[in-house]
Amino acid sequence: MSGGQIHDEDISASSQWSESTAARYGRLDCEEGDGAWCPEITVEPDHLKEFLQIDLRSLYFITLVGTQGRHAGGIGNEFAQMYKIKYSRDGSRWISWRNRQGKQVIEGNRNAYDIVLKDLEPPIIARFVRFMPVTDHSMNVCMRVELYGCEWLDGLVSYNAPAGEQMSLPLYPVYLNDSVYDGAVIHSMTEGLGQLTDGVCGLDDFTLSHVYNMWPGYDYVGWNNESFSSGFVEIMFEFDRTRNFTTMKVHCNNMFNRHVKTFRQVVCYFRSESDWEAVPLSFSPVVDEKNPSARFVTVNLANHMASAIKCQFYFADAWMLFSEITFQSDTAMYNTTLAPPKTGLPPNTQLEEDPRHKVDDSNTRILIGCLVAIIFILVAIIVIILWRQVWQKMLEKASRRMLDDELTASLSIQSETFGYNHNRSGTTSEQESNSTYERIFPLGPDYQEPSRLICKLPEFAQSSEEPASTSTAASKSTTATVVQDGVPHYAEADIVNLQGVTGSNTYAIPAVTMDLLSGKDVAVEEFPRKLLTFKEKLGEGQFGEVHLCEAEGMQEFMNKEFLFDIPEDQPVLVAVKMLRSDANKNARNDFLKEIKIMSRLKDPNIIRLLAVCIYSDPLCMITEYMENGDLNQFLSRHEPEGQFALLSNAPTVSFNNLCYMATQIASGMKYLSSLNFVHRDLATRNCLVGKTYTIKIADFGMSRNLYSGDYYRIQGRAVLPIRWMSWESILLGKFTTASDAWAFGVTLWEILNFCKEQPYSQLTDEQVIENTGEFFRDQKRQIYLPQPVLCPDSLYKIMLSCWRRNTKERPSFQEIHRALLDIQP
Ligand code: DJQ
């Protein structure tokens, strides 16, 4: 009314006080005319003949009404304290509205200006609505009114059905009548609508009701099989016009333990114009004896044209209870073509929005505009975020695919370098070694468990303690796969896990069947065992020990370059790695393989194999003794030169010597990288310190107790030095010279901190992995190791370059070596 959708000519009244209080001024909130509709004479009690009538031009489902008196800027003071509503669907039969308790009178206004809203329970389905003021004393009455609801698209004008019955349960009766039916109820219900169209669906338990304070069975209309000899209940539905029906939905109770079930069959007859179609439509839903919940049963009406439908619902049990029946028809077509604007209202428009949620019209528009804008912005943000994620995932997939390709390629190249063909230099290859630790995928469920072997290639494992039992299991099963497989492909078949003969790592090296004993494959000579004298134990592992020994006549075995300061006739100190005599065949094989590979590494900054004892057991390999132990412990017990060291009398290492040691590590790595040898665990703990700050890179493996905190154990799986690992090694299992460069950066950082602090010591292992995710995402949220106090900018720059996200942008060891040489004064 106040929105203007209802035209003046559709608002009429029984009478009007004056032209300025005509019906058309009866719109809620309307201040035109004299401010309201006022009837001609005083309304006497119980003398209902005055009304304000609204013609909605088609059927509407009305759920709420509002009333207001005449205020007229303070001049008026007329209002209706009470009123009734009458409605009609056809304009001839008028029905008095009653609430669910049967009361007709509605409480109206208490002053001339406030709007009073009333929920219509039950709602009205009507085209015409009349507001009829009621007064209990003589007074002038004026009204302004409003209707709220939506168009009744079902088009149903009435249903005729047998009257609902009463069910006798042991404790109480259940009334299954249609208590709000607005037609005539004599023997059966005729010409009305009621509970089956009130929009309220019954509960699973029909004895309970949605509607507060109503009797058991209130929501349902129900019939007993015994009252119907035919075995069905016939309901006739009349519509406002001929419609094209798609479906009928019947909300049925199915409490089978109370002998209530949905119908077992429905037969529907259609009447268009005045004739009934000869062939009815029949449908048999599945009778559900498992699920007792109430449900809508949908009947396909197959686009039948009709203005009336007669349906026979067959009993499946003693009782049949319906709470709602709706019809879906092709109304759009009818509204636009067959039923051109009979009404002034556009089809499907809401009569009036619920004013409880209504704001001023212009405000609403602004509000909606703002909301739409906000939604657009949010959607845009979401799309951008999703797009970025998808993009990153694609990137990652691509890189994983690349990893797989490279893996296959590089492994076959590696096998040339370390395999049968005795190509010692292996220099032809530009490929980097790529192999897969067992990968971990902390970033989410998309990360797949790699099917590849856990391998470290081409490498050795060595002296230390017990390996993690889990990795032993893993490696065993891996080996088993290899054996079963038998496919002659390096990457998957020729890899044997090396438990580190004395070490712990789940490493692998090429499983070549070396005839080591023939000696032709090994570049080191047999040393007479009897010339070795045991002095002390340097280390211990699962399959053997490393001993400090005196060796007589070792000079012969040493390169000229090492000999200048060793007296010819005196015994030299050597480190001897020995395989335990009770070691199994696998361990023995692995030991021989380690010898083979180590024998090829000849660089002043890499552990050098001087000789072996393989003609008899126990198998031994001999390297020179590095009297200062590993670099980590060495630096830990030293201090930088300065006040503190002077006062505490602690041994010091000069900055120059730090640089010197770092340069040697870079040099050793330059050599390894020239062989495409990927170390995978470069750290100060894996470097040995000899006399005068000489450094040799070794690889102790992962199970020295002292360094267990440097390795992250993924439950039941790999053990990884995550704080030294590049993002791609952690996330993609990709190990290359570039990831060795990353680890070098961390090693450099350790050196400049005198190994007094673990990298990212403030972060837990999990946070380190999260940080790895940030390195991957590269959104400036990654945390870099801080510049050590002693570290000049030039050195920190080298570190940062080692931690570049893009592997190609990281410096080669050649470049790192060069840069370090330049830093040294
Ligand atoms: C690589 C290795 C030497 C066993 C402790 C105190 C010491 C030895 C990647 C290449 C570069 N280089 O070495 N891989 C594997 N090996 C080793 C060790 C260090 N280890 C563990 C010690 C240790 C010395 C020497 N002086 N002081 O226990 N390897 C092989 C080794 C050990 C003895 C003889 C031959 C080889 O890490």
Side-chain angles (χ1 to χ4, degrees):
M1 298 274 281
S2 54
Q5 285 130 302
I6 297 166
H7 297 181
D8 282 354
E9 62 267 27
D10 294 327
I11 308 168
S12 55
S14 51
S15 67
Q16 62 193 43
W17 174 259
S18 65
E19 191 46 44
S20 57
T21 58
R24 64 176 182 280
Y25 300 119
R27 293 184 160 94
L28 203 80
D29 256 346
C30 164
E31 302 291 343
E32 282 165 40
D34 264 346
W37 160 71
C38 307
E40 191 179 14
I41 50 153
T42 303
V43 179
E44 302 287 343
D46 293 332
H47 203 263
L48 283 164
K49 54 180 187 180
E50 303 297 343
F51 60 80
L52 177 66
Q53 176 177 318
I54 299 117
D55 179 1
L56 298 169
R57 295 291 184 145
S58 65
L59 292 176
Y60 274 80
F61 189 83
I62 302 156
T63 55
L64 182 76
V65 292
T67 57
Q68 201 178 14
R70 188 181 86 98
H71 186 52
I75 311 164
N77 191 29
E78 297 84 15
F79 53 93
Q81 288 180 311
M82 284 180 286
Y83 64 98
K84 291 184 185 179
I85 286 177
K86 278 195 175 188
Y87 61 92
S88 172
R89 287 188 273 274
D90 57 5
S92 62
R93 194 171 72 90
W94 288 88
I95 305 157
S96 293
W97 179 84
R98 294 164 185 274
N99 70 8
R100 293 194 190 274
Q101 282 78 26
K103 209 177 139 206
Q104 287 186 30
V105 178
I106 303 170
E107 265 184 54
N109 300 94
R110 287 167 177 255
N111 58 48
Y113 40 87
D114 281 330
I115 297 169
V116 172
L117 298 171
K118 287 287 167 192
D119 266 314
L120 293 182
E121 282 275 3
I124 290 172
I125 296 163
R127 173 180 162 179
F128 303 94
V129 181
R130 282 178 182 173
F131 287 84
M132 314 179 79
V134 178
T135 51
D136 55 359
H137 58 87
S138 290
M139 77 170 264
N140 283 338
V141 166
C142 299
M143 280 186 105
R144 288 179 283 173
V145 302
E146 184 61 282
L147 297 165
Y148 305 93
C150 61
E151 203 177 351
W152 176 241
L153 294 173
D154 284 40
L156 190 62
V157 190
S158 74
Y159 58 81
N160 300 348
E165 296 174 77
Q166 182 180 326
M167 183 194 286
S168 300
L169 288 182
L171 292 176
Y172 46 82
V174 179
Y175 299 97
L176 298 167
N177 60 330
D178 191 338
S179 51
V180 300
Y181 191 70
D182 65 9
V185 188
I186 305 155
H187 294 295
S188 65
M189 303 188 274
T190 46
E191 303 293 320
L193 295 174
Q195 281 187 301
L196 295 183
T197 53
D198 68 354
V200 179
C201 288
L203 296 170
D204 290 348
D205 182 347
F206 61 86
T207 64
L208 306 175
S209 173
H210 264 301
V211 186
Y212 175 71
N213 225 358
M214 292 314 230
W215 54 85
Y218 180 81
D219 293 343
Y220 285 95
V221 182
W223 304 272
N224 188 324
N225 196 354
E226 281 174 23
S227 319
F228 298 84
S229 53
S230 57
F232 62 77
V233 171
E234 186 175 274
I235 307 179
M236 164 94 147
F237 304 94
E238 305 258 9
F239 297 87
D240 54 350
R241 54 172 174 261
T242 304
R243 288 168 175 259
N244 179 353
F245 287 96
T246 52
T247 48
M248 167 173 74
K249 293 182 179 177
V250 186
H251 190 261
C252 311
N253 191 276
N254 196 42
M255 257 183 116
F256 44 79
N257 60 345
R258 291 257 154 104
H259 302 287
V260 177
K261 278 202 196 111
T262 62
F263 54 92
R264 99 183 129 75
Q265 193 194 8
V266 62
V267 178
C268 292
Y269 297 80
F270 297 87
R271 190 191 71 198
S272 50
E273 310 308 321
S274 56
D275 306 318
W276 288 97
E277 269 181 33
V279 187
L281 179 147
S282 171
F283 172 70
S284 302
V286 189
V287 176
D288 183 350
E289 293 183 348
K290 292 209 172 70
N291 179 359
S293 34
R295 81 274 318 271
F296 267 108
V297 176
T298 303
V299 181
N300 183 354
L301 297 181
N303 290 96
H304 276 269
M305 301 289 287
S307 61
I309 303 175
K310 184 169 68 186
C311 290
Q312 296 164 345
F313 297 92
Y314 285 82
F315 286 92
D317 209 321
W319 286 90
M320 200 155 60
L321 270 57
F322 297 164
S323 76
E324 201 68 14
I325 301 180
T326 66
F327 288 88
Q328 289 68 45
S329 55
D330 202 353
T331 49
M333 186 175 98
Y334 281 86
N335 277 338
T336 50
T337 59
L338 292 182
K342 278 203 285 183
T343 86
L345 305 178
N348 299 335
T349 47
Q350 296 252 309
L351 207 51
E352 183 66 43
E353 281 170 58
D354 187 330
R356 286 167 292 194
H357 308 291
K358 204 186 103 181
V359 205
D360 179 80
D361 220 30
S362 56
N363 280 351
T364 316
R365 258 171 236 156
I366 294 168
L367 202 77
I368 290 172
C370 290
L371 282 176
V372 167
I374 290 169
I375 289 169
F376 262 105
I377 292 167
L378 284 177
V379 166
I381 291 170
I382 290 169
V383 165
I384 290 169
I385 291 171
L386 285 179
W387 185 82
R388 281 185 68 133
Q389 277 181 353
V390 166
W391 193 77
Q392 284 189 344
K393 265 194 197 132
M394 271 163 51
L395 252 183
E396 192 191 298
K397 257 192 204 151
S399 61
R400 218 178 290 158
R401 216 173 297 131
M402 265 160 49
L403 168 73
D404 280 355
D405 295 349
E406 278 176 38
L407 187 64
T408 319
S410 79
L411 287 177
S412 37
I413 288 156
Q414 288 285 336
S415 71
E416 276 173 36
T417 315
F418 294 102
Y420 289 112
N421 59 5
H422 306 199
N423 174 4
R424 276 195 192 188
S425 63
T427 47
T428 47
S429 148
E430 301 240 310
Q431 278 275 2
E432 290 175 332
S433 157
N434 266 330
S435 48
T436 316
Y437 263 118
E438 191 154 16
R439 295 177 208 171
I440 52 168
F441 302 100
L443 283 186
D446 296 342
Y447 290 91
Q448 300 157 16
E449 186 68 32
S451 58
R452 301 262 173 213
L453 305 178
I454 305 161
C455 55
K456 184 171 179 179
L457 245 184
E459 267 165 296
F460 352 90
Q462 61 306 82
S463 75
S464 281
E465 292 102 299
E466 283 278 319
S469 58
T470 46
S471 53
T472 315
S475 77
K476 271 182 192 146
S477 63
T478 314
T479 314
T481 337
V482 170
V483 173
Q484 282 162 18
D485 243 67
V487 184
H489 178 265
Y490 185 93
E492 286 181 352
D494 293 348
I495 294 165
V496 164
N497 276 295
L498 247 190
Q499 275 300 291
V501 181
T502 52
S504 71
N505 294 350
T506 319
Y507 291 172
I509 60 161
V512 282
T513 49
M514 299 170 295
D515 40 354
L516 263 176
L517 294 170
S518 73
K520 65 187 177 195
D521 208 42
V522 178
V524 278
E525 283 169 68
E526 179 77 11
F527 186 79
R529 188 184 298 280
K530 57 180 187 304
L531 299 181
L532 288 173
T533 316
F534 171 84
K535 294 209 68 156
E536 64 183 75
K537 197 155 91 182
L538 292 172
E540 192 172 8
Q542 193 188 10
F543 297 110
E545 292 166 349
V546 176
H547 292 170
L548 172 63
C549 296
E550 266 180 2
E552 270 178 68
M554 184 50 85
Q555 285 82 346
E556 272 179 53
F557 296 84
M558 295 169 95
N559 253 344
K560 304 287 168 287
E561 47 186 301
F562 296 112
L563 286 175
F564 56 94
D565 63 343
I566 300 170
E568 183 99 30
D569 46 350
Q570 271 178 31
V572 273
L573 287 174
V574 289
V576 179
K577 182 170 169 175
M578 217 182 285
L579 182 70
R580 215 182 299 209
S581 45
D582 61 347
N584 62 21
K585 228 180 164 154
N586 275 342
R588 199 185 156 82
N589 254 337
D590 294 346
F591 195 86
L592 293 173
K593 277 167 223 152
E594 190 181 341
I595 288 175
K596 181 175 170 180
I597 290 162
M598 289 250 34
S599 68
R600 295 199 171 134
L601 302 178
K602 293 195 168 164
D603 183 83
N605 299 115
I606 304 289
I607 282 285
R608 164 78 59 97
L609 206 55
L610 298 176
V612 294
C613 313
I614 51 176
Y615 289 170
S616 63
D617 279 342
L619 301 181
C620 291
M621 51 180 133
I622 305 167
T623 188
E624 56 283 43
Y625 176 56
M626 301 292 282
E627 36 277 280
N628 281 308
D630 80 57
L631 177 59
N632 191 286
Q633 282 170 282
F634 177 75
L635 284 178
S636 297
R637 50 177 192 260
H638 285 79
E639 296 293 334
E641 288 173 325
Q643 277 310 110
F644 175 76
L646 268 177
L647 289 174
S648 64
N649 209 13
T652 59
V653 177
S654 68
F655 175 75
N656 281 358
N657 281 329
L658 290 185
C659 280
Y660 173 52
M661 292 191 286
T663 310
Q664 291 177 76
I665 298 171
S667 177
M669 289 308 296
K670 188 171 108 182
Y671 170 76
L672 290 183
S673 66
S674 75
L675 300 178
N676 295 310
F677 185 105
V678 180
H679 190 291
R680 289 167 169 256
D681 194 8
L682 181 59
T684 55
R685 64 182 171 274
N686 276 327
C687 296
L688 287 169
V689 186
K691 284 192 201 104
T692 61
Y693 306 105
T694 54
I695 296 281
K696 285 183 192 291
I697 300 169
D699 190 353
F700 283 78
M702 299 184 175
S703 60
R704 280 179 295 172
N705 279 341
L706 186 57
Y707 300 112
S708 62
D710 290 346
Y711 296 96
Y712 177 65
R713 217 165 271 270
I714 310 155
Q715 354 140 293
R717 294 190 243 159
V719 185
L720 300 173
I722 52 171
R723 288 162 201 270
W724 282 260
M725 281 165 74
S726 66
W727 70 266
E728 75 275 6
S729 300
I730 293 178
L731 299 182
L732 305 172
K734 197 175 162 104
F735 291 87
T736 60
T737 294
S739 62
D740 274 353
W742 183 295
F744 179 83
V746 182
T747 308
L748 197 53
W749 183 90
E750 288 187 273
I751 292 173
L752 282 135
N753 278 305
F754 276 77
C755 299
K756 300 281 196 287
E757 191 193 329
Q758 192 192 37
Y760 310 103
S761 59
Q762 260 78 288
L763 305 187
T764 63
D765 285 345
E766 286 68 28
Q767 286 169 331
V768 169
I769 289 168
E770 273 166 37
N771 192 37
T772 303
E774 296 303 342
F775 270 110
F776 167 69
R777 284 188 280 275
D778 204 18
Q779 289 161 346
K780 307 239 179 329
R781 290 205 295 253
Q782 64 271 47
I783 300 167
Y784 288 89
L785 289 170
Q787 183 166 358
V789 183
L790 281 181
C791 181
D793 290 351
S794 53
L795 260 181
Y796 191 54
K797 254 198 199 136
I798 298 177
M799 292 180 204
L800 290 176
S801 67
C802 292
W803 303 326
R804 287 183 187 144
R805 185 193 190 274
N806 188 345
T807 51
K808 295 206 173 69
E809 286 171 18
R810 291 178 207 154
S812 66
F813 280 106
Q814 184 141 13
E815 288 163 332
I816 294 171
H817 185 234
R818 183 72 252 158
L820 286 170
L821 283 176
D822 289 344
I823 281 169
Q824 273 188 69

